[in-house]
Amino acid sequence: MWRSLSGLTTRGRCLLAAGVAAAVCSAVLNERDLLRIAVFVIALPLFVALLASASKVRIAASRTLLPERVAVGGHGEVQLDLWRGGKLPAGEVLLEDGIPYVLGSRPRFVIERLPHHRSVALRYPVQPAMRGIQHIGPLRATVTDPFGLCEFERELIGNSRLVVVPKVSRLWGLPIGAGIGSGDDGSIRLHAGQGETDVIVRHYRQGDDLRKVHWRSTARRDEIMVRVEERPWRGGTTVLLDHRAAAHHGTGPAASLEWAVEFAASVSLHLGRAGHRVRLVSEHGRVLADTPGGGGQNYDNIVLDALAALQPAHERDITTGADPGQGQELIAVLGTVSRESVHELTKARPRGTRSLAVLLDTPAWAGEQGGLEGTEGSSETTRESATLLRAAGWGVVIASKASPIAQVWTELCRTAAPGASLIGGPA
């Protein structure tokens, strides 16, 4: 009874107080008719409160996410099914489902009459603006009576998990010679003569060991060519994603980290569908996803789920400790990197194995210097890091805030030798 009375509204409490006052007056004035009215006025809110409290218990609901994975900027729906059991009538029901602000506005529904022989289906859209593991709920119902004398709140459903995956851009093409596992251009193979094993050669770079010069190829091409030691190809590509908070700028969906995550997701799925085995690792060598090639929905979900749950790391520098690609071709998506971090990435990386990097000009995301066409428009730190990576034999492309992901990938595919350009900046 006391729990039922706790649901009385201000109107119900005033009506109950008026009934008690009328009963006191009837006793003082000895008015039986006034007493009858007082009894009715007292009984009405009590009866309504008991009825609303009982009907509240008999309301149930279910929630369905359509679908359970939604890409950033995509559209999804949430379906609510509401029904009641028993034969007790239910008054007006106000439904409110809790959703994070990044999914849209909080939905509210008012059901004036809830039938007992069928469920009522309600739907509302979700439009995620930020990747992550989002929780929808709880679903709360407020049951009121037609007179507005009482109301009761009840939690019908707890939280449901919605995975907001990164947006994936469609890409075309593969890096030159992709799939060889060695060299910057695996398509260059020379037969040195009968009885001699095939030799992979490439152009000489400053710092190469002169003992590896392939003189026959040098004489044939009239430029210095060096041998590339063949290594067993593991048939895969490692995608390294730098997700340190200190390496990125900007906040929310427009942050440089979100651009890097979207690029890593697009590249991983593109290579997987092309038949490559893809290892997705962090800047510290932690494996985020390791999947066989061939693509497919299950493959896509493994990669996208790992990136959806990825949070910024709090380390200041890159510490791989070993070759981050483990002998495979490497595509690194980097934020702001210091000299020490560049050295950490390159010191254990074999020179003969393809190493490519997309270097984000992160000050452009903070509204600072950068974002112009040409490498000249990038920040000094970005240019210095690109120079160090190229000197170590890496192919580098510098990306600004306005760089389209598909265009950056196309430029990266053409980067078989040192040299980078800042693409996608405003004209």
Side-chain angles (χ1 to χ4, degrees):
M1 173 62 73
W2 291 110
R3 182 174 299 178
S4 300
L5 292 177
S6 64
L8 289 175
T9 62
T10 302
R11 180 184 300 179
R13 295 176 187 274
C14 290
L15 190 62
L16 186 62
V20 173
V24 173
C25 291
S26 66
V28 173
L29 301 175
N30 196 22
E31 289 286 345
R32 292 192 175 184
D33 292 336
L34 184 59
L35 181 59
R36 296 189 184 97
I37 296 175
V39 171
F40 174 77
V41 171
I42 294 174
L44 180 61
L46 296 179
F47 174 75
V48 171
L50 289 172
L51 188 63
S53 178
S55 63
K56 174 198 70 170
V57 177
R58 288 168 172 79
I59 295 178
S62 66
R63 182 194 294 116
T64 306
L65 305 182
L66 306 169
E68 295 183 351
R69 288 181 180 84
V70 183
V72 173
H75 299 272
E77 277 191 331
V78 178
Q79 177 173 317
L80 302 173
D81 293 295
L82 189 69
W83 67 89
R84 67 181 177 91
K87 297 183 178 180
L88 283 175
E92 185 179 82
V93 180
L94 170 65
L95 291 178
E96 184 175 14
D97 207 3
I99 65 172
Y101 74 94
V102 294
L103 298 181
S105 58
R106 177 167 295 186
R108 292 183 178 181
F109 302 95
V110 177
I111 303 176
E112 296 182 355
R113 184 176 179 273
L114 187 63
H116 68 274
H117 59 280
R118 61 182 175 86
S119 62
V120 175
L122 306 169
R123 288 193 177 192
Y124 64 88
V126 290
Q127 298 179 339
M130 187 78 176
R131 67 173 177 86
I133 308 299
Q134 306 294 345
H135 295 279
I136 298 178
L139 175 65
R140 298 186 182 276
T142 303
V143 181
T144 61
D145 69 285
F147 303 103
L149 300 179
C150 62
E151 63 179 17
F152 294 93
E153 289 188 358
R154 181 188 168 194
E155 182 178 312
L156 299 180
I157 313 174
N159 292 331
S160 298
R161 185 173 178 266
L162 177 67
V163 181
V164 181
V165 300
K167 181 181 177 182
V168 177
S169 299
R170 187 175 181 181
L171 306 179
W172 291 269
L174 293 171
I176 299 174
I180 298 301
S182 299
D184 292 295
D185 190 353
S187 62
I188 302 177
R189 285 178 178 266
L190 298 178
H191 296 273
Q194 186 175 5
E196 183 177 354
T197 59
D198 291 353
V199 178
I200 301 177
V201 297
R202 60 168 171 80
H203 295 285
Y204 173 80
R205 298 175 189 163
Q206 185 177 1
D208 285 340
D209 190 350
L210 293 178
R211 291 175 295 180
K212 294 184 179 181
V213 173
H214 193 263
W215 297 109
R216 184 173 300 180
S217 300
T218 299
R220 186 178 306 167
R221 290 173 173 262
D222 198 23
E223 53 184 335
I224 299 179
M225 307 295 291
V226 295
R227 294 189 305 272
V228 177
E229 297 177 357
E230 281 204 69
R231 296 174 178 82
W233 177 44
R234 303 188 183 185
T237 302
T238 296
V239 178
L240 183 146
L241 175 60
D242 179 10
H243 68 292
R244 294 171 297 136
H248 292 276
H249 289 81
T251 57
S256 61
L257 176 59
E258 298 307 313
W259 193 99
V261 169
E262 182 178 342
F263 185 86
S266 303
V267 170
S268 298
L269 266 60
H270 176 66
L271 293 177
R273 292 164 183 171
H276 286 237
R277 176 188 175 184
V278 179
R279 291 176 66 251
L280 180 63
V281 301
S282 70
E283 73 282 356
H284 302 299
R286 181 172 64 91
V287 177
L288 304 176
D290 189 355
T291 58
Q297 190 62 40
N298 185 53
Y299 166 83
D300 292 356
N301 290 341
I302 292 174
V303 174
L304 294 177
D305 287 357
L307 291 175
L310 189 67
Q311 296 296 322
H314 299 291
E315 289 82 357
R316 299 290 301 179
D317 295 314
I318 294 177
T319 54
T320 57
D323 176 16
Q326 294 188 359
Q328 297 180 343
E329 298 173 342
L330 177 66
I331 299 175
V333 187
L334 305 173
T336 300
V337 287
S338 62
R339 283 176 171 268
E340 293 75 13
S341 296
V342 172
H343 177 68
E344 185 70 22
L345 281 172
T346 58
K347 68 178 182 181
R349 187 72 182 151
R351 266 190 174 269
T353 306
R354 181 197 308 278
S355 301
L356 302 174
V358 174
L359 194 58
L360 275 64
D361 187 30
T362 56
W365 272 266
E368 301 172 13
Q369 177 185 352
L372 303 176
E373 281 195 30
T375 309
E376 300 80 12
S378 58
S379 66
E380 182 178 352
T381 302
T382 304
R383 294 197 300 270
E384 182 182 359
S385 300
T387 301
L388 293 174
L389 287 171
R390 293 188 194 113
W394 288 49
V396 182
V397 172
I398 300 177
S400 72
K401 183 178 182 179
S403 300
I405 285 178
Q407 191 174 350
V408 172
W409 172 250
T410 301
E411 182 72 13
L412 191 67
C413 289
R414 294 197 297 260
T415 308
S421 60
L422 183 66
I423 63 178

